[in-house]
Amino acid sequence: MRRGQENTGTSSDTGSAARRRYSTLRLLLLSGAATVVLLPAGAGASDLLDLGTLNGGTESVPFAVSADGTTVVGYATDGAANNAERAFRWTRTGGLVNLGTFNAGSQSYAYGLSADGTVVVGFANDGNANDEARAFRWTQAGGLVNLGTFNGGTESKAYGVSNDGSVVVGVAKDGNSNDAERAFRWTQASGLVNLGTLNGGLESTALGVSGDGAVVVGYADNGANMRAFRWTQATGMTNLGILNGDTDSVATATNSDGSVVVGFGTDAGNVNSAFRWTQGTGMVGLGTFNGGNGSTAKGVSADGSVVVGYADDGNVNHGFRWTQNGGMITVDQWLRDNGVTLASDVTSSAYGISADGNVIAGTLTNNHAFIARGPSATTSKAGLMDVTNFQQSLVNTPRVSGQLQDADIAVNGAHSSPLFMLLDAGQSSFWFTGDGGYASTKTANGGLGAGEFGFGRGLEDGWTVRLAGGGQYSRMDMPNGGNATFSSGYIAPDVSHVFAGGFVATLSGYLNWGKADIRRGYLNGTANDSSFGSAATQTFGVRARLDWQDAFKLGSTGVSPFASYTYLNAQMNGYTEAGGSFPVRFDGSREISNTVRIGADAKTPLNDQLALVTRFEYGHRFEKTGAGVSGQILGLSAFSIDGAAIQQDWVRGGLGVSYKLGNGDGLVMLNTSNQTGRNTTWLSASYRVKF
């Protein structure tokens, strides 16, 4: 079982050459501690989860994810504590929970957790012990439990935990040995057990533990040098050796049953080389690329047959994947061999690997996290995911916000002006309206349109009732070749009443049902890829509006102020994509919009047949964020991303002409609005016949 470690620096130094070599090795090991945690199919990848922060803190950094994908641990800065680091445990239902410190200590970090996420390990500083670090084991029932130190030593840190949470491993200082560091293994029954050193050496550290807790790996001082070790109850701490008679080695991880250990050691020419160890083969160097300057193994598959890490080719680092048959090849070459387009090598390191060895996580040359996958039961297409790009594709995928935009055009478009549709008692009318235009947001742009037919009837005492039916269509083009099409039909009943003094009150309803066809574009390697899906949509809403007809005159121009409130509720069913290298199952989602508008319509007669119509409107939406996005990357991980910030305030302008033609009258108006954060421009044309 693999767990991340932070850079803890160096402990007390003897001043010897061996200690200096040890410090260098330690920094090499702990620098670049994995911020991508990848577990077997069905688990969660932490970089795809929007974890949030603590009380407005600046960051949250994940170190590990439970095997069932429900829980993430790491550290987050706490805005309520001057951005001090705090260990956290995150769940989808509970969010980011601060695990605290001991006795108001300054900081804490969580590094590992059990398979089901109920046990968390790490370290927390203790305010009652000179703010020194103390290894902890956390459960919901017991909270932070201090695992102590050896013989009054100053500090301890936990780095790994078994699948069931019963075994914890790490490092603790020993007060009886001049505060030297000692690898430990902890259980409830035994407490903190010192795993010792090799040949009377000074220090040791445990970095990993097998799933069943029976095997512990790490590194230990061998008197003059550091040696990778493997510990079991039966054998104690066993020196795994060195490469080609050189000086140092460090074990970084072990497979599920502890039979295969990986890490790195110095090799000929004092160059670091990744190694793989078994009882039968001993420590075997995995080499470097083209005689490069070194390599390090960071992860191993459950059966030990696949090893990943990073290696230098003499110029730059590459992520590597090693197998017995294929030897060490770059992750890039492995992907090319499986059909992924890569114009150049883009991986710089590999830190995590799935149980079956088919999924690798690491870092790209652009410093983004990546997930690479070979052909699988989920998709026959191999893929390289830039996590930042892919997460943005999830955020950008049109959801209910697109439906709300279309609904707003129908409910509050230029053709919906009640004053244009009023009828005298006994009068009837039918009309048709069309809207067509262009919309753009920060991530997409495209066209939209709507068509409507309706019937109205004027009743006694100033009442007018109307019933309309229509259809809507919009298409938006998105990054990396993606696009989304919304098509729907709707009905819209409304009723208006004219009061004394020219006041007109209108109550309108809106019911829409339709379908969304969405092609989500993203990068696979350096080429565009896409996955496609369709979902049913539903939107309903109401609008209450008050107009003051010809409230005042400016010359021949009559000005009619208005105010309105609109409620819209948009829903999209969940759907599963097909095709592409990383298809996704999206959960259903819903978004509500509560909006107020104030403005004025002005009508200036030009002659008996024509009049100039202008409109200005200010709008405010009460919601601050839109609907979030959640679902499952098929065969990989769940994800949950908070909704984006909404532009709450906007303005709209319109300029048009009303006209009389035959037995009817019409209105043509050009409208523009920055409601989407960029621009929406559309032309509305209406024609009504009264009889």
Side-chain angles (χ1 to χ4, degrees), residues 157 211 217 222 261 286 312 342 369 390 418 455 501 531 556 597 622:
K157 298 179 180 182
V217 299
N222 193 38
V261 181
L286 304 186
D312 185 286
L342 288 170
F390 193 84
F455 175 80
S531 300
S556 62
R597 291 170 168 81
F622 290 97

Side-chain angles (χ1 to χ4, degrees), residues 132-183:
E132 297 287 356
R134 291 290 185 269
F136 72 73
R137 180 179 183 270
W138 177 97
T139 62
Q140 188 71 54
L144 287 183
V145 174
N146 186 336
L147 301 187
T149 63
F150 292 126
N151 305 307
T154 56
E155 70 175 27
S156 59
K157 298 179 180 182
Y159 290 138
V161 61
S162 61
N163 284 346
D164 66 2
S166 64
V167 179
V168 182
V169 301
V171 61
K173 291 187 176 181
D174 187 347
N176 287 350
S177 300
N178 197 29
D179 234 17
E181 292 184 341
R182 295 287 192 267

Side-chain angles (χ1 to χ4, degrees), residues 441-456:
T441 68
K442 294 179 180 179
T443 58
N445 59 78
L448 52 88
E452 176 183 292
F453 291 87
F455 175 80

Side-chain angles (χ1 to χ4, degrees), residues 95-126:
L96 204 69
V97 175
N98 183 344
L99 300 187
T101 63
F102 292 121
N103 304 307
S106 63
Q107 61 185 350
S108 58
Y109 295 81
Y111 288 117
L113 73 172
S114 59
D116 63 3
T118 59
V119 179
V120 182
V121 301
F123 78 83
N125 286 31
D126 187 346

Side-chain angles (χ1 to χ4, degrees), residues 492-584:
D494 65 11
V495 57
S496 296
H497 185 255
V498 180
F499 294 90
F503 289 99
V504 179
T506 302
L507 182 65
S508 306
Y510 177 81
L511 178 61
N512 178 297
W513 60 97
K515 185 179 76 164
D517 297 313
I518 300 174
R519 183 172 298 280
R520 182 177 55 87
Y522 50 89
L523 291 176
N524 179 8
T526 56
N528 286 342
D529 200 354
S530 63
S531 300
F532 176 83
S534 297
T537 64
Q538 310 87 38
T539 308
F540 65 89
V542 294
R543 184 191 68 169
R545 174 166 165 150
L546 182 65
D547 290 81
W548 189 4
Q549 188 170 19
D550 292 332
F552 57 90
K553 293 273 191 177
L554 295 174
S556 62
T557 300
V559 180
S560 302
F562 64 85
S564 71
Y565 162 75
T566 303
Y567 168 85
L568 292 172
N569 186 318
Q571 301 176 59
M572 180 184 290
N573 292 356
Y575 66 96
T576 300
E577 296 176 330
S581 51
F582 293 102
V584 165

Side-chain angles (χ1 to χ4, degrees), residues 89-308:
R89 178 177 181 265
W90 180 97
T91 62
R92 198 174 302 281
T93 55
L96 204 69
V97 175
N98 183 344
L99 300 187
T101 63
F102 292 121
N103 304 307
S106 63
Q107 61 185 350
S108 58
Y109 295 81
Y111 288 117
L113 73 172
S114 59
D116 63 3
T118 59
V119 179
V120 182
V121 301
F123 78 83
N125 286 31
D126 187 346
N128 288 351
N130 296 318
D131 204 39
E132 297 287 356
R134 291 290 185 269
F136 72 73
R137 180 179 183 270
W138 177 97
T139 62
Q140 188 71 54
L144 287 183
V145 174
N146 186 336
L147 301 187
T149 63
F150 292 126
N151 305 307
T154 56
E155 70 175 27
S156 59
K157 298 179 180 182
Y159 290 138
V161 61
S162 61
N163 284 346
D164 66 2
S166 64
V167 179
V168 182
V169 301
V171 61
K173 291 187 176 181
D174 187 347
N176 287 350
S177 300
N178 197 29
D179 234 17
E181 292 184 341
R182 295 287 192 267
F184 75 74
R185 181 179 184 270
W186 177 97
T187 67
Q188 189 70 51
S190 67
L192 213 63
V193 174
N194 186 335
L195 301 187
T197 62
L198 295 169
N199 300 323
L202 181 63
E203 297 191 332
S204 60
T205 296
L207 296 177
V209 59
S210 60
D212 62 5
V215 179
V216 182
V217 299
Y219 56 92
D221 192 337
N222 193 38
N225 303 101
M226 301 308 299
R227 294 288 190 270
F229 76 76
R230 179 179 183 270
W231 178 97
T232 69
Q233 190 71 52
T235 65
M237 184 178 288
T238 302
N239 184 341
L240 299 187
I242 51 178
L243 293 169
N244 300 317
D246 215 290
T247 55
D248 301 283
S249 61
V250 172
T252 59
T254 183
N255 70 327
S256 62
D257 65 3
S259 62
V260 177
V261 181
V262 299
F264 68 92
T266 53
D267 204 342
N270 207 33
V271 171
N272 288 324
S273 175
F275 73 75
R276 178 179 181 270
W277 176 97
T278 68
Q279 192 69 50
T281 64
M283 185 178 290
V284 176
L286 304 186
T288 61
F289 291 129
N290 304 320
N293 297 322
S295 61
T296 297
K298 298 293 287 184
V300 58
S301 61
D303 66 1
S305 64
V306 184
V307 182
V308 297

Side-chain angles (χ1 to χ4, degrees), residues 42 65 123 157 191 252 265 276 287 378 417 427 502 590 667 686:
V65 181
F123 78 83
K157 298 179 180 182
T252 59
R276 178 179 181 270
T378 301
S417 175
Q427 278 189 318
R590 182 179 74 157
L667 175 66
S686 302

Side-chain angles (χ1 to χ4, degrees), residues 334-504:
W334 174 62
L335 290 165
R336 289 190 184 99
D337 292 343
N338 283 284
V340 176
T341 299
L342 288 170
S344 60
D345 286 353
V346 295
T347 70
S348 64
S349 62
Y351 287 114
I353 185 169
S354 62
D356 64 3
N358 196 48
V359 183
I360 300 170
T363 306
L364 299 170
T365 54
N366 63 6
N367 293 321
H368 293 178
F370 77 78
I371 295 175
R373 177 167 63 185
S376 66
T378 301
T379 172
S380 61
K381 191 174 184 179
L384 175 64
M385 175 199 301
D386 178 324
V387 171
T388 300
N389 171 270
F390 193 84
Q391 180 167 328
Q392 196 61 47
S393 80
L394 300 176
V395 173
N396 292 344
T397 298
R399 303 294 289 162
V400 289
S401 57
Q403 295 169 237
L404 289 174
Q405 177 179 287
D406 290 350
D408 191 71
I409 293 293
V411 175
N412 292 293
H415 63 286
S416 68
S417 175
L419 300 183
F420 178 69
M421 308 298 286
L422 293 176
L423 296 171
D424 295 331
Q427 278 189 318
S428 297
S429 70
F430 69 85
W431 75 88
F432 63 86
T433 292
D435 288 272
Y438 173 84
S440 67
T441 68
K442 294 179 180 179
T443 58
N445 59 78
L448 52 88
E452 176 183 292
F453 291 87
F455 175 80
R457 177 72 176 175
L459 306 178
E460 300 293 335
D461 300 322
W463 291 93
T464 298
V465 295
R466 296 176 292 273
L467 178 64
Q472 294 178 275
Y473 176 88
S474 65
R475 176 187 168 93
M476 300 295 286
D477 293 322
M478 301 178 296
N480 301 118
N483 60 72
T485 299
F486 289 85
S487 55
S488 61
Y490 70 88
I491 57 174
D494 65 11
V495 57
S496 296
H497 185 255
V498 180
F499 294 90
F503 289 99
V504 179

